[in-house]
Amino acid sequence: MDLRLTEQHLKFRDELRAWLTANLARPWREELRDPNNNEDSLMEVRRQWQRKLHAAGYVGMDWPTEWGGRGASEVEKSVFEEESARADAPQIVNFLGIGLLGPALIHHGSEAQRRRFIPPMLAADEIWCQGFSEPGAGSDLAALRTSATLDGDHFVINGQKIWTTFGPWADWIFVLARTDSGDRYGGISFILCKLDTPGIIVRRLRQITGESEFGEVFFEDARVPRENLVGQIGEGWRIAMTVLAYERGAMSLAYAARFERDIRQLAIACREHGRGGTAVREKLGRLFVENEVMRANGLRNLANFADGNKPGPESSFEKIFWSEFDKRFRDVALDLLGPGGLLERSSAEARADVDWAREFLWARAGTIYSGSSEIQRNIISKRVLNLPQI
Amino acid sequence: MKFELSEDQALLRSSTRDFLAGEWPIEQARKVMEHDPRGYDPAAWARLAEMGYLGLLLPPNLGGQGLGAIELAIVLEEVGRAAMPGPFLDTVLAAALLASAGKRDALVNDIAAGKALVTIARDDAPFSGGNATPTRFEGGRVRGTKYFVPFAAAADALLVTTLDAVCLVQKPFEVIALTTFDLAQRFGEVKLDHAATAIGSPSLLGRVDQLAAVGAGATLLGLMSRALEITLEYVQTRSAFKRPIASFQALQHRLADMLLKTESTRSAVYRAAWCVDTDAPDTAIACAAAKAYAGDASRLVCGEAIQMHGGIGFTWELDLHVYFKRAKTLEQHYGSTEAQIEHTLAAAGF
């Protein structure tokens, strides 16, 4: 066992820390809570942040340098995420492009597609959203019905995507569409669509937080050039699955850093409000303990990656752990803060450290998106425990 | 970075598992805990000593193997899996405490050789209210009452904690048996008014407490992983509604959660052990958090194991209650969950 970062990784971490200190204008939660900011201006903050990171070589950390990446190891990628969380940096605006589509193009795209799409993706000049979920196919992703029919050198696309994160701001969408209705997994293709194509309409959806970070995307006889197909016809499912594995790196360390900051803020808030005593302390302590266990899970996974193992179905443990913890944590936070925790950020009386009300609501999303907790448990029971399936 | 055990450590795991499977099959473990009033078997104890397990943490010049916290965790995880009764962790901790004081080498040697049984007497109160009169050491005598002293009736000597010293008290001492539902761990109440020698200050307990958290956490890990294993075997053989019950999603999701808790405990316990061995800055947090989490997680997993077995799970005959009771008992000792939560907060500056 060895859970220590190497000298080289420590050096990378120290350089990154220094860079973050010098370049982060102000913590993300201050941006979030600034009444002068609205959703659009916050997206612009994230765009500018991505540009800064890109100029410094911190976007596409684990991509090959040939495609504008850093060629960094899983450890460095995790250190980057952890330090960014510690510094309270915003997330980049194009994280679906960088996190999912970029790797898909690098592994499965054509040379022409990489040249065309990767540079503006890295520079945040073209924002991407992901067209996987549908109204009738969320957790059962392969039940998707959006169709793509070849007509000469174009696909004609019909259907609807939903819960499309960043849809309202995106320029492009990568879509899973059915090219063969008879073949559940083999009849799906991976297609890139420009959102201003005639026949594509994006509508904002309002979330329980009141924000509209996601939307729905309608396709009505939208004609998309055949050259926008990634891989071969019918390869979409396989590509999507390899790409989704990227979504599940060793993220627990970053979450633990962020949660720890908030747990400490909660303790300060309790003290200031005269809420003390053993019952309050025990609640805070249980949160802190659980967060440390999440950190231990993250260290373990990171060490396994560093040791050459690929992320397996065990990454479902991480997903369930942080998302379920997030919900419990935010519940406890509002309990401890009392009615003051319900105040919206626009309220002058709201605490300025954490937007507790928004975090409480936002936590409901984590156990649904990116494979719900139920789906993660199915994955564990099927692929780790090998239990008989129905 | 690497989470996997080294080759030597993996060998220690497999040899310990084999050794315990031979010496301590669950039938034997249950026979001893249910029928031997001492709660352990001296003959088997001697074999543990012969194999070097009792001197696990001691340097070779004191009859030990000079191993660390990771090895302690490995062995105790197996002890938990086997549900081996007896004062194993207590003995190892007492030896480590004496050795860290740098005194009484002969006694340390005897512990490692299985010739002397020494455990640590810590609790001043039967309930964790903290209102009890603390045990005192004055004028060469220890006075007070210690509760839940591990295997007090069988012990040759006790290491008694007082406000400003750790003292060694030799038998005889008066012991009132405190019988709990966990027959694998015997406790006594000891009234002390005894001549004693101070072996050092309470600061010696710092590292011992960390080892205790790792050791107890690892035992809890072993208990829960074995309870989960037994349950996984059962749900695949037991049928209801013409299907193996393992095919029901309601059970699958709970089994997945049991595994999640078990593996999270594993991450936490081995991280803590690694921290102790490398003297990492977050050792205090890691150890306390691991023990606190392991207690809750093990009780929940062992409890789910009983639930999934249905009526048979509630019987004396089935072994699961042995795991469940031991988990609940360990949760209260070697730093209760409540105490470990407080340690975590204190170490994190709250």
Side-chain angles (χ1 to χ4, degrees):
Chain A
M1 262 184 97
D2 182 8
L3 302 179
R4 220 170 339 202
L5 294 177
T6 61
E7 285 301 316
Q8 180 201 338
H9 292 143
L10 287 171
K11 189 165 163 268
F12 171 75
R13 188 194 64 186
D14 292 341
E15 284 166 11
L16 175 62
R17 269 188 193 171
W19 186 89
L20 285 165
T21 310
N23 287 278
L24 195 62
R26 56 177 176 159
W28 175 239
R29 66 196 69 205
E30 281 182 24
E31 293 282 2
L32 271 176
R33 297 180 55 79
D34 184 337
N36 296 315
N37 270 329
N38 58 28
E39 279 187 84
D40 292 326
S41 64
L42 285 170
M43 284 297 159
E44 195 48 37
V45 171
R46 292 172 67 161
R47 188 195 293 268
Q48 294 311 327
W49 180 241
Q50 181 174 342
R51 287 192 169 139
K52 261 191 196 177
L53 284 173
H54 178 45
Y58 292 123
V59 177
M61 287 285 299
D62 54 343
W63 295 11
T65 47
E66 185 190 354
W67 295 109
R70 196 184 181 93
S73 64
E74 278 290 344
V75 178
E76 284 159 333
K77 188 180 165 192
S78 166
V79 167
F80 173 80
E81 297 295 345
E82 187 180 4
E83 291 303 320
S84 296
R86 220 187 274 274
D88 201 14
Q91 207 172 19
I92 59 175
V93 70
N94 217 6
F95 84 90
L96 290 165
I98 303 300
L100 299 173
L101 179 59
L105 291 179
I106 289 168
H107 289 284
H108 307 280
S110 68
E111 183 79 7
Q113 286 169 341
R114 293 176 196 152
R115 287 192 191 291
R116 162 64 188 85
F117 293 113
I118 285 178
M121 186 192 301
L122 286 167
D125 289 335
E126 283 178 347
I127 310 298
W128 285 86
C129 63
Q130 175 202 40
F132 284 9
S133 296
E134 295 191 8
S139 288
D140 184 12
L141 181 56
L144 60 89
R145 298 213 313 240
T146 295
S147 66
T149 315
L150 260 183
D151 178 21
D153 55 0
H154 280 74
F155 286 104
V156 179
I157 302 185
N158 280 286
Q160 184 192 350
K161 296 293 174 178
I162 200 165
W163 326 127
T164 316
T165 298
F166 290 169
W169 292 275
D171 306 290
W172 284 81
I173 182 168
F174 51 101
V175 166
L176 286 182
R178 193 153 282 293
T179 39
D180 178 352
S181 57
D183 186 347
R184 184 170 156 88
Y185 294 101
I188 294 171
S189 298
F190 194 113
I191 303 170
L192 313 176
C193 308
K194 197 157 196 285
L195 280 169
D196 63 5
T197 305
I200 301 183
I201 295 166
V202 181
R203 267 219 322 248
R204 287 191 175 215
L205 281 172
R206 200 153 186 225
Q207 300 167 193
I208 62 175
T209 58
E211 298 155 309
S212 295
E213 195 210 32
F214 60 35
E216 50 190 343
V217 183
F218 298 88
F219 298 81
E220 274 180 42
D221 290 330
R223 294 181 68 82
V224 176
R226 182 179 177 154
E227 67 206 39
N228 288 5
L229 172 74
V230 179
Q232 304 296 314
I233 287 186
E235 270 192 337
W237 183 261
R238 194 171 64 84
I239 296 172
M241 289 304 115
T242 55
V243 172
L244 286 173
Y246 277 84
E247 208 176 350
R248 303 189 184 130
M251 290 299 293
S252 297
L253 294 171
Y255 281 110
R258 195 163 81 91
F259 287 137
E260 184 177 334
R261 285 170 63 95
D262 284 3
I263 295 168
R264 288 185 184 278
Q265 291 296 338
L266 181 59
I268 293 169
C270 288
R271 206 160 50 232
E272 285 173 3
H273 289 271
R275 295 218 56 181
T278 49
V280 170
R281 205 166 159 79
E282 197 197 336
K283 281 186 179 180
L284 288 168
R286 282 189 184 275
L287 294 173
F288 199 91
V289 161
E290 221 178 320
N291 196 46
E292 277 306 312
V293 176
M294 182 159 59
R295 198 190 301 278
N297 275 337
L299 274 168
R300 172 182 177 179
N301 282 0
L302 184 60
N304 282 334
F305 288 144
D307 197 26
N309 300 309
K310 291 276 164 243
E314 294 83 359
S315 59
S316 295
F317 292 141
E318 279 201 287
K319 169 79 202 309
I320 295 179
F321 201 114
W322 72 253
S323 61
E324 297 290 344
F325 174 72
D326 194 14
K327 281 205 291 207
R328 278 197 300 282
F329 168 31
R330 306 300 171 176
D331 273 344
V332 171
L334 286 213
D335 286 350
L336 293 181
L337 291 167
L342 305 173
L343 293 170
E344 297 228 326
R345 71 184 167 102
S346 53
S347 163
E349 296 299 314
R351 287 189 60 85
D353 45 21
V354 179
D355 193 345
W356 294 105
R358 179 181 180 274
E359 295 291 351
F360 169 75
L361 295 172
W362 190 252
R364 311 309 301 187
T367 53
I368 299 170
Y369 66 65
S370 189
S372 65
S373 292
E374 289 70 25
I375 289 295
Q376 305 297 345
R377 291 188 181 103
N378 283 350
I379 293 172
I380 294 170
S381 59
K382 184 176 172 184
R383 295 200 224 149
V384 186
L385 292 174
N386 299 312
L387 297 178
Q389 302 297 303
I390 308 158
Chain B
M1 290 178 86
K2 197 179 184 67
F3 184 82
E4 292 298 305
L5 300 177
S6 72
E7 226 168 276
D8 285 351
Q9 289 164 345
L11 187 65
L12 175 64
R13 160 160 297 167
S14 57
S15 60
T16 304
R17 189 170 294 188
D18 292 348
F19 172 73
L20 292 178
E23 285 291 319
W24 287 102
I26 185 74
E27 306 76 38
Q28 173 66 12
R30 290 193 58 164
K31 207 171 97 193
V32 168
M33 68 179 86
E34 288 170 32
H35 300 296
D36 191 321
R38 291 165 300 197
Y40 78 111
D41 171 9
W45 198 252
R47 283 192 293 279
L48 277 176
E50 260 168 53
M51 298 291 289
Y53 285 108
L54 299 182
L56 188 75
L57 297 172
L58 298 172
N61 66 324
L62 292 175
Q65 298 195 55
L67 297 173
I70 295 178
E71 286 81 6
L72 176 72
I74 291 168
V75 171
L76 279 157
E77 188 186 335
E78 295 307 319
V79 166
R81 285 179 57 87
M84 183 183 91
F88 179 66
L89 178 57
D90 309 293
T91 308
V92 172
L93 293 174
L97 180 56
L98 275 167
S100 65
K103 290 174 190 157
R104 299 281 179 163
D105 286 1
L107 181 57
V108 177
N109 249 307
D110 283 352
I111 296 173
K115 291 184 208 151
L117 188 65
V118 181
T119 67
I120 305 175
R122 307 239 7 208
D123 287 1
D124 284 317
F127 308 106
S128 52
N131 298 323
T133 319
T135 310
R136 297 201 164 273
F137 177 62
E138 275 165 348
R141 285 188 89 75
V142 163
R143 287 194 183 88
T145 303
K146 289 287 184 184
Y147 296 88
F148 287 98
V149 179
F151 293 85
D156 298 301
L158 297 177
L159 287 164
V160 181
T161 63
T162 68
L163 278 179
D164 28 45
V166 177
C167 305
L168 183 68
V169 177
Q170 302 283 355
K171 73 176 177 189
F173 23 77
E174 182 197 338
V175 177
I176 302 165
L178 300 174
T179 309
T180 69
F181 55 55
D182 179 8
L183 298 173
Q185 301 183 88
R186 303 296 169 128
F187 300 98
E189 176 184 330
V190 184
K191 288 195 192 325
L192 292 161
D193 186 358
H194 286 67
T197 43
I199 63 148
S201 77
S203 66
L204 288 176
L205 293 165
R207 184 178 149 79
V208 171
D209 282 348
Q210 290 174 348
L211 291 168
V214 167
T219 312
L220 286 158
L221 171 61
L223 292 168
M224 69 204 283
S225 58
R226 182 64 192 137
L228 174 57
E229 231 172 64
I230 293 171
T231 308
L232 283 168
E233 285 161 22
Y234 179 73
V235 294
Q236 306 208 51
T237 44
R238 157 93 174 152
S239 282
F241 308 104
K242 298 179 180 163
R243 284 161 49 185
I245 63 173
S247 68
F248 295 117
Q249 199 178 46
L251 296 196
Q252 291 184 348
H253 283 192
R254 282 160 53 198
L255 289 161
D257 283 337
M258 289 162 79
L259 183 67
L260 170 62
K261 286 198 161 64
T262 306
E263 288 309 309
S264 298
T265 303
R266 179 178 305 284
S267 308
V269 166
Y270 282 93
R271 173 209 178 195
W274 179 83
C275 283
V276 171
D277 282 344
T278 55
D279 212 6
D282 42 1
T283 304
I285 292 177
C287 288
K291 169 65 173 65
Y293 184 83
D296 274 357
S298 187
R299 182 191 68 251
L300 290 167
V301 169
C302 294
E304 281 284 85
I306 291 175
Q307 174 70 19
M308 288 198 194
H309 276 75
I312 188 84
F314 191 68
T315 62
W316 186 270
E317 186 192 345
L318 201 77
D319 299 323
L320 284 174
H321 66 94
V322 172
Y323 291 84
F324 182 67
K325 291 168 176 170
R326 187 105 183 241
K328 186 66 204 173
T329 307
L330 279 173
E331 202 188 322
Q332 305 282 7
H333 289 97
Y334 309 100
S336 66
T337 301
E338 196 183 43
Q340 296 291 7
I341 287 173
E342 186 49 45
H343 290 328
T344 313
L345 286 175
F350 276 73

